[in-house]
Amino acid sequence: QVLALALEELVAEELALHGISCGEKRAVQLTASDYEKYDMLIAMDSNNIRNMMRIVHGDPQGKIHKLLEFAGRNDDVSDPWYSRDFATCYRDIYDGCAGLLNYLEK
């Protein structure tokens, strides 16, 4: 748990460099009922996709996507848990979110 707290602080530092606060934001566990509740479910990596498919029992409506698909890439968001490279992770997420926004605007 100490490592997780240290990584959380590093994430906060990277976000602060870009003028973003993560103060009250928290992750929540995906549930099977979320599949019907939301139009899209976005994953950061291939492992997330597999877990999401298992939790929601498949993806018959094509709602599950990997974030970097929207940036024209098929790779995973760089995971700073392993790499400690928060700048690359931020760039990957930024690129994916920019692509997602562009997709939604069309």
Side-chain angles (χ1 to χ4, degrees), residues 27-69:
V28 296
Q29 179 67 44
L30 180 71
T31 65
S33 65
D34 288 335
Y35 192 81
E36 294 306 320
K37 190 185 302 184
Y38 298 106
D39 295 329
M40 299 177 82
L41 300 169
I42 310 297
M44 297 293 181
D45 61 40
S46 299
N47 287 333
N48 292 154
I49 294 281
R50 279 190 295 279
N51 289 332
M52 291 168 83
M53 292 285 205
R54 179 183 48 77
I55 291 168
V56 302
H57 312 293
D59 185 22
Q61 297 177 39
K63 294 182 175 187
I64 297 176
H65 302 275
K66 198 171 357 172
L67 180 62
L68 288 177
E69 288 176 25

Side-chain angles (χ1 to χ4, degrees), residues 4-104:
L5 290 174
L7 291 176
E8 188 175 304
E9 290 174 11
L10 292 171
V11 168
E13 287 176 17
E14 182 66 35
L15 291 173
L17 291 173
H18 303 280
I20 301 169
S21 169
C22 59
E24 298 301 318
K25 297 169 183 77
R26 296 289 178 257
V28 296
Q29 179 67 44
L30 180 71
T31 65
S33 65
D34 288 335
Y35 192 81
E36 294 306 320
K37 190 185 302 184
Y38 298 106
D39 295 329
M40 299 177 82
L41 300 169
I42 310 297
M44 297 293 181
D45 61 40
S46 299
N47 287 333
N48 292 154
I49 294 281
R50 279 190 295 279
N51 289 332
M52 291 168 83
M53 292 285 205
R54 179 183 48 77
I55 291 168
V56 302
H57 312 293
D59 185 22
Q61 297 177 39
K63 294 182 175 187
I64 297 176
H65 302 275
K66 198 171 357 172
L67 180 62
L68 288 177
E69 288 176 25
F70 298 101
R73 296 165 45 191
N74 192 35
D75 51 326
D76 295 342
V77 168
S78 175
D79 189 342
W81 179 264
Y82 302 104
S83 69
R84 303 298 190 261
D85 183 355
F86 291 88
T88 297
C89 179
Y90 178 86
R91 282 192 305 272
D92 284 350
I93 293 170
Y94 182 91
D95 291 347
C97 288
L100 176 59
L101 180 60
N102 187 47
Y103 172 83
L104 293 173

